[in-house]
């Protein structure tokens, strides 16, 4: 399913092979190849990427909580 999604978005090309059982060969397109440096960077620092995303979520939650009206009387 992921390969089909990549092909749908132009990141990979799909070649169907007429055989039993039917097969498909997927290859990266120029657009897909252009993303490789970014993917390698993200792969090299998985912890820091997750930490950055988590800290942004916490910031958004804290901001939302601080800006919501207080109903304490």
């Amino acid at each position: 399913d992921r390969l089909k999604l990549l092909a749908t978005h132009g990141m990979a090309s799909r070649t169907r092979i007429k055989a039993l059982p039917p097969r498909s060969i997927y290859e990266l397109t120029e657009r897909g190849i252009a993303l490789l440096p970014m993917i390698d960077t993200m792969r090299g620092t998985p912890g820091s990427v997750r930490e950055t995303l988590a800290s942004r979520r916490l910031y958004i939650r804290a901001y939302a909580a601080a800006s919501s009206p207080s109903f304490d009387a």
Side-chain angles (χ1 to χ4, degrees), residues 6-7 9-14 26-36:
L6 288 172
H9 292 287
M11 306 292 178
S13 64
R14 179 181 179 189
Y26 290 87
E27 295 179 282
L28 287 176
T29 61
E30 288 184 28
R31 187 175 184 186
I33 292 169
L35 292 174
L36 289 176

Side-chain angles (χ1 to χ4, degrees), residues 16-24:
R16 294 182 181 152
I17 306 296
K18 293 182 182 182
L20 290 175
R23 300 181 315 165
S24 295

Side-chain angles (χ1 to χ4, degrees):
D1 292 333
R2 292 179 187 172
L3 290 172
K4 288 181 184 178
L5 186 62
L6 288 172
T8 300
H9 292 287
M11 306 292 178
S13 64
R14 179 181 179 189
T15 304
R16 294 182 181 152
I17 306 296
K18 293 182 182 182
L20 290 175
R23 300 181 315 165
S24 295
I25 296 175
Y26 290 87
E27 295 179 282
L28 287 176
T29 61
E30 288 184 28
R31 187 175 184 186
I33 292 169
L35 292 174
L36 289 176
M38 180 181 61
I39 292 169
D40 286 340
T41 300
M42 290 173 65
R43 248 210 233 143
T45 55
S48 64
V49 170
R50 279 192 223 112
E51 291 167 11
T52 301
L53 292 174
S55 66
R56 287 183 183 168
R57 284 188 205 111
L58 290 175
Y59 174 79
I60 291 169
R61 287 182 192 146
Y63 179 79
S67 61
S68 64
S70 174
F71 295 104
D72 297 333

